[in-house]
Amino acid sequence: MTTALSPIVSEFASEEQATRHDSWFRSKVRASLGDARPPIAHDELMAEADAVIAEAEALRNRSTK
């Protein structure tokens, strides 16, 4: 049985959804903390993301012409 949650109290519809999300989130944090790879600087990551977005926009613009 799932307990419905108020949207004022939680972004999840039920306790079951909240519990599943919490478990998923905690496993992602544990995996990240255990990752031995060197961290990526924020500016470097954002530059890579901007390049991916620009490429996707260029492809979209070419396909609409």
Side-chain angles (χ1 to χ4, degrees):
M1 180 175 137
T2 61
T3 304
L5 297 174
S6 165
I8 295 172
V9 176
S10 176
E11 64 185 288
F12 302 102
S14 69
E15 285 283 346
E16 180 183 358
Q17 286 181 351
T19 301
R20 279 196 323 248
H21 180 268
D22 184 66
S23 177
W24 169 83
F25 182 76
R26 288 174 184 274
S27 72
K28 291 293 187 178
V29 170
R30 276 192 302 274
S32 179
L33 291 172
D35 190 339
R37 293 177 294 180
I40 300 172
H42 179 265
D43 292 341
E44 181 182 342
L45 179 68
M46 292 307 298
E48 290 177 18
D50 288 341
V52 168
I53 292 168
E55 182 179 348
E57 288 174 342
L59 285 172
R60 185 185 64 206
N61 290 338
R62 276 184 264 172
S63 68
T64 59
K65 290 183 180 180

